[in-house]
Amino acid sequence: MAARLLLRAARPLLAGAGRGSGLRTALSTGPPPEKKRWLRAYLELQRLQAPPQRRSEKPNWDYHAEIQAFSHRLQENFALDLLKTAFVNPCYIESEEARRRQLGLDKDAVALQLQDNSALAERGLRFARAYLAQSFEGAYPELPAKGVEALVQFLTSQELVSYVAQNLSIQELALCRDFPAPPDVLHRTFLAVIGALLESSGPERTGIFVRDFFIPQLIGKDLFEIWEVVNPMGLLIEELTKRNISAPEPRITRQLGVNTVLPVYFVGLYCDKKILAEGPGETLLAAEEEAARVALRKLYGYTENRRPWDYSKPKQGLAAEKAISSN
């Protein structure tokens, strides 16, 4: 049936030309045959199952241009030699020298004339920790040294720094043995970038760089999720004693579902007949500890409804100077 309809449509074309050429013309004007429906899904599955490939192994790759683009993307002025050194990891030099030995090259040709990023990473880590400590001491003067140290350790930890580095696509530029780059390599490389910026643009620009990429990671984080306090009530009594305030007295303010599987208690802490803080919990002890944490947040100025970080303070330059002097 379909062939008859096709021949009927081709008859007017066959009148002016030959029968064979007219039939070929009529047949060539039809739509191209479609691919199988399963082919697109199969090709996508093959792409997802393929092993990861370095960007440098793909066409149109210029390492020098990518280094310059990275500097402009961050809107920072790096010395290109220092920035290139920041991306050279020790494992890359070891793997390249081992590969050259396997090829049977001479000892002079085996050694790479490259400097790794160990020194830059160490300097960047020292500066970042010193700058963050000075910033937190200025923003939260009531926060004890242990709390400041916990915040600094959290922001400079391997997990968080490698997360920031991965979002900046540092894994595409880092020269290392393995791909994708492991977290310790990303951690060292990003700290080396901070060290390269410190030597290129000075402590003030480096302090702003550290502030902009590290401090926003505290958004949505609770103080005691970062700083683990085993005995919050004991710490609260110690802080109140320093301020010449009497010890708190816990009292049950509300309770719900006491005779059920999931009871809820609210315990308030009173000092001089005034409520200091209130916290919930499934047990009286848990509610008392939570109330102590709420009171500590108030004393330290690190409450959930605290003001956002002020990025326009002129104290940031002073913090950078103190950080570089502490180094």
Side-chain angles (χ1 to χ4, degrees):
M1 184 67 182
R4 293 178 181 178
L5 294 176
L6 183 62
L7 290 176
R8 289 180 183 179
R11 282 176 183 175
L13 299 175
L14 294 175
R19 178 174 297 180
S21 61
L23 182 59
R24 287 194 298 269
T25 304
L27 293 176
S28 62
T29 57
E34 296 182 359
K35 294 183 179 180
K36 299 294 184 181
R37 293 183 178 180
W38 55 266
L39 183 58
R40 179 176 297 179
Y42 174 76
L43 294 177
E44 182 66 17
L45 182 62
Q46 291 294 108
R47 186 185 67 83
L48 294 176
Q49 291 180 349
Q53 188 178 12
R54 300 175 188 265
R55 179 60 183 87
S56 58
E57 298 175 355
K58 299 178 182 179
N60 301 325
W61 173 259
D62 187 348
Y63 188 73
H64 181 74
E66 292 293 337
I67 291 293
Q68 287 184 326
F70 178 80
S71 177
H72 289 290
R73 194 160 60 242
L74 296 181
Q75 298 182 359
E76 299 291 348
N77 294 323
F78 287 94
L80 291 182
D81 294 338
L82 290 174
L83 188 57
K84 288 182 178 180
T85 303
F87 288 109
V88 179
N89 289 276
C91 60
Y92 171 78
I93 298 178
E94 295 175 0
S95 63
E96 285 297 315
E97 290 179 351
R99 187 177 64 87
R100 293 188 178 190
R101 289 192 198 96
Q102 292 178 358
L103 295 176
L105 299 179
D106 298 335
K107 293 183 179 180
D108 298 335
V110 166
L112 290 177
Q113 302 299 325
L114 290 177
Q115 183 181 1
D116 59 21
N117 57 4
S118 300
L120 289 176
E122 184 179 356
R123 187 173 183 184
L125 180 60
R126 288 200 308 266
F127 178 84
R129 286 181 175 175
Y131 178 83
L132 290 173
Q134 295 290 341
S135 300
F136 289 136
E137 289 174 0
Y140 308 108
E142 301 296 333
L143 191 64
K146 291 184 179 179
V148 173
E149 181 65 20
L151 292 177
V152 173
Q153 290 290 342
F154 171 75
L155 292 180
T156 56
S157 62
Q158 177 178 309
E159 181 180 0
L160 190 141
V161 175
S162 61
Y163 170 77
V164 176
Q166 189 173 7
N167 281 275
L168 292 177
S169 298
I170 286 182
Q171 70 274 9
E172 301 292 346
L173 299 175
L175 299 178
C176 65
R177 179 181 57 238
D178 304 321
F179 186 82
D184 59 333
V185 172
L186 294 177
H187 178 260
R188 186 191 307 112
T189 305
F190 189 72
L191 293 176
V193 170
I194 295 176
L197 181 61
L198 180 62
E199 295 187 8
S200 302
S201 301
E204 187 173 356
R205 290 294 307 174
T206 310
I208 296 175
F209 181 86
V210 171
R211 179 199 67 185
D212 291 346
F213 283 103
F214 283 167
I215 293 181
Q217 305 302 321
L218 293 175
I219 296 175
K221 300 292 183 180
D222 182 63
L223 175 63
F224 296 106
E225 291 179 1
I226 301 171
W227 179 24
E228 185 177 357
V229 178
V230 180
N231 185 12
M233 181 58 72
L235 181 59
L236 177 60
I237 294 175
E238 182 181 350
E239 293 292 337
L240 293 178
T241 304
K242 293 179 181 178
R243 295 166 173 78
N244 296 324
I245 303 176
S246 60
E249 180 183 353
R251 297 179 183 176
I252 298 178
T253 57
R254 288 173 289 170
Q255 59 184 8
L256 181 64
V258 179
N259 298 324
T260 62
V261 181
L262 296 175
V264 178
Y265 300 93
F266 284 84
V267 173
L269 299 180
Y270 290 82
C271 291
D272 299 331
K273 299 181 180 180
K274 294 181 180 178
I275 186 168
L276 181 62
E278 185 183 23
E282 295 181 358
T283 61
L284 292 176
L285 180 59
E288 182 180 339
E289 291 182 352
E290 183 61 28
R293 293 188 183 94
V294 174
L296 288 172
R297 293 189 193 100
K298 292 181 179 180
L299 292 178
Y300 297 151
Y302 203 95
T303 56
E304 295 179 355
N305 59 345
R306 65 185 183 275
R307 294 185 61 184
W309 190 273
D310 191 358
Y311 290 90
S312 62
K313 283 186 177 180
K315 294 181 181 180
Q316 301 299 332
L318 181 61
E321 294 177 1
K322 290 182 179 180
I324 195 66
S325 63
S326 63
N327 278 336

